[in-house]
């Protein structure tokens, strides 16, 4: 690849990273082509070459976030490829997906989408991809039999619990209470998995 | 009370109800003194008498929503005052708190507060009141011993699950999946409560 293309791709990436940062820190309404260009240190002209309109920038940023969230899932999975992880560690990984800047940026997008059908139609299929990957991650890390209906449903509930804990963390640092809830849930989840495992 | 005061109070109430409706349907940014006045059918002058600034309107609307959410909890509690309710019914009541218009309006406020320290400082104590009341509601309806640490934590987890299910319902109607998750959670919760109950 030519250096010019490399540079162009790096610029695009920097703009998208700035868009995610500004979404999580300043919200949907305050994130504009102008603020993103300034945050990324990219000229207005170069920014408009990549993203002629706010819609273009947001469409790309939402896809970029989706890819980043799925990549985060795959990285977590690869880090535990040597066998099943302790349940408490898996819960920490799952909840990490809902407490970082990507979740905070995504929450701004969802809230905008809740009142804007155009944004909504665009992100629904992307969110379905993330949900599928999150389920795959959780069930693989927990090493459960995905044909077992009790375990399937309880893994889904664990992801919903993680999302709820993420939302509770938006206004205040909820880490202490979250540890308490996850310690307790970990014990229950371990018992459920053990009860459903065929005895050797 | 004089009719004029009654009328004034009714007007204020109508404005606050419109503010909540518009927050849930159009979002934080699109909800203004002008749109609220128009939705409530109240003149600009009368609206400004009650709420001179957008800040005044929002402060009052957030407090109004908090009171409404706590009232919703108390109504649910009163409806079950004749004894402990079936676990699955309690879960339905809890999740109802996170899937209605008040939750959707609150989500818009939280998302605005996530990026605005002034809004955040204002709503944190109000949210703590709602959280305390929700915990009291859930533990009373489930008729659990609140001194039991395992039960305390699982009730807290159940509320976090409810919040996560509410968030999952923002973009699409998630009712089918939610029923499946709640059926499974209900079975686990029943077993945990039974295991911790002193045998008579």
């Amino acid at each position: 690849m030519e250096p010019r293309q490399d540079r162009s791709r790096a610029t695009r990436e920097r703009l998208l990273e700035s868009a995610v940062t500004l979404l999580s820190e300043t919200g949907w309404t305050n994130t504009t082509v102008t603020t993103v260009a300034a945050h990324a240190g990219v000229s207005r002209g170069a920014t408009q070459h990549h993203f002629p309109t706010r819609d273009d920038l947001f469409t790309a940023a939402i896809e970029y976030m989706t890819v980043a969230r799925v990549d985060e899932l795959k990285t977590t999975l690869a880090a535990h490829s040597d066998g099943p992880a302790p349940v408490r560690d898996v819960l920490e990984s799952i909840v990490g997906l809902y407490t970082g800047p990507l979740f905070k940026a995504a929450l701004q997008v969802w809230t905008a989408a809740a009142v804007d059908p155009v944004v909504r139609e665009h992100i629904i299929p992307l969110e379905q991809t993330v949900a599928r990957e999150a389920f795959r991650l959780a069930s693989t890390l927990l090493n459960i039999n995905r044909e077992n209906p009790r375990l399937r449903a309880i893994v889904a509930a664990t992801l919903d619990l993680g999302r709820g804990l993420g939302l509770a963390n938006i206004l205040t640092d909820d880490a202490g209470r979250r540890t308490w809830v996850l310690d307790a849930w970990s014990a229950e989840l371990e018992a459920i998995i053990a009860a459903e495992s065929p005895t050797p």
Side-chain angles (χ1 to χ4, degrees), chain A residues 15 37 41-48:
Chain A
L15 287 166
V42 172
S43 74
R44 188 71 200 239
T47 302
Q48 287 196 324

Side-chain angles (χ1 to χ4, degrees), chain A residues 34-65:
Chain A
T34 308
T35 62
V36 168
H39 186 274
V42 172
S43 74
R44 188 71 200 239
T47 302
Q48 287 196 324
H49 164 74
H50 286 284
F51 306 111
T53 68
R54 187 173 194 261
D55 268 6
D56 295 324
L57 173 62
F58 271 75
T59 303
I62 290 168
E63 280 173 11
Y64 179 80
M65 282 165 57

Side-chain angles (χ1 to χ4, degrees), chain A residues 124-178:
Chain A
I124 286 171
L126 297 172
E127 286 303 322
Q128 284 166 344
T129 306
V130 175
R132 249 195 324 273
E133 288 293 324
F135 185 82
R136 197 168 69 90
L137 168 87
S139 52
T140 306
L141 287 181
L142 292 168
N143 195 32
I144 63 149
N145 171 10
R146 283 183 236 176
E147 305 300 310
N148 178 314
R150 183 184 180 196
L151 293 177
R152 273 188 78 78
I154 217 67
V155 167
T158 300
L159 292 168
D160 285 309
L161 171 67
R163 198 184 301 108
L165 288 168
L167 186 52
N169 198 50
I170 285 294
L171 300 180
T172 53
D173 178 359
D174 194 40
R177 196 190 69 86
R178 185 165 67 240

Side-chain angles (χ1 to χ4, degrees), chain A residues 63-132:
Chain A
E63 280 173 11
Y64 179 80
M65 282 165 57
T66 307
V67 172
R69 283 162 68 210
V70 170
D71 281 353
E72 208 178 323
L73 294 168
K74 288 184 177 158
T75 306
T76 307
L77 203 51
H80 291 96
S81 61
D82 50 346
V87 170
R88 187 63 183 79
D89 291 358
V90 177
L91 291 183
E92 208 60 42
S93 295
I94 291 172
V95 168
L97 304 171
Y98 299 106
T99 47
L102 280 170
F103 176 78
K104 287 181 181 172
L107 183 65
Q108 295 290 335
V109 175
W110 296 333
T111 311
V115 297
D116 183 337
V118 176
V119 180
R120 189 158 61 236
E121 288 318 304
H122 183 67
I123 70 169
I124 286 171
L126 297 172
E127 286 303 322
Q128 284 166 344
T129 306
V130 175
R132 249 195 324 273

